[in-house]
């Protein structure tokens, strides 16, 4: 399910949309990664069009995800960093192509 977004949005807005996190600066985003993003970030990325297999390959292995979910843990620092990196690429593509479907096709 791809989403279309209006033109004129900033890269940060696209990134916040992909991550489902609030941050006002790169420093705050780094602090979020240090603390660990919530597991809902994975669901957020799949709602924007990535498959579960893609998220599990890029961000967190399926088995680790299940373990973290059952014990109500956040993503680790490394997993959060991978989520942010993937979201940055997809946000940049979405800003370039105009919608998430075209970004994912790319």
């Amino acid at each position: 399910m791809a989403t279309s977004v209006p033109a004129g949005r900033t890269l940060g807005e696209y990134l916040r949309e992909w991550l489902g996190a609030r941050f006002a600066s790169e420093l705050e985003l780094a602090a979020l990664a240090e603390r660990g993003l919530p597991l809902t970030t994975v669901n957020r990325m799949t709602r924007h069009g990535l498959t579960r297999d893609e998220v599990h390959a890029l961000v967190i292995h399926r088995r680790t995800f299940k373990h973290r979910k059952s014990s109500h843990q956040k993503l680790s620092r490394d997993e959060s960093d991978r989520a942010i990196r993937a979201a940055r690429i997809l946000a940049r593509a979405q800003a370039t192509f105009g919608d998430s479907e075209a970004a994912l096709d790319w």
Side-chain angles (χ1 to χ4, degrees):
M1 163 177 50
T3 57
S4 183
V5 281
R9 295 185 61 192
T10 67
L11 187 59
E13 289 172 321
Y14 289 111
L15 186 56
R16 281 188 284 279
E17 189 175 287
W18 275 96
L19 295 173
R22 293 182 187 267
F23 57 92
S25 67
E26 287 294 318
L27 188 59
E28 286 182 20
L29 183 58
L32 280 173
E34 283 290 318
R35 289 190 307 267
L37 291 170
L39 278 183
T40 55
T41 303
V42 171
N43 296 330
R44 183 95 173 176
M45 294 177 91
T46 58
R47 280 196 307 268
H48 275 81
L50 288 177
T51 66
R52 287 233 178 250
D53 288 340
E54 289 170 331
V55 174
H56 292 307
L58 293 169
V59 177
I60 183 172
H61 294 286
R62 186 178 312 274
R63 186 172 176 168
T64 305
F65 174 76
K66 287 180 182 179
H67 170 73
R68 292 212 198 290
K69 188 174 181 180
S70 69
S71 54
H72 305 286
Q73 297 176 348
K74 295 180 177 184
L75 294 173
S76 71
R77 185 180 325 148
D78 288 340
E79 293 156 353
S80 296
D81 182 57
R82 288 193 294 268
I84 290 168
R85 288 172 187 248
R88 271 189 206 283
I89 293 168
L90 292 164
R92 171 83 58 196
Q94 187 175 0
T96 301
F97 295 114
D99 64 59
S100 61
E101 185 175 328
L104 290 165
D105 286 345
W106 168 76

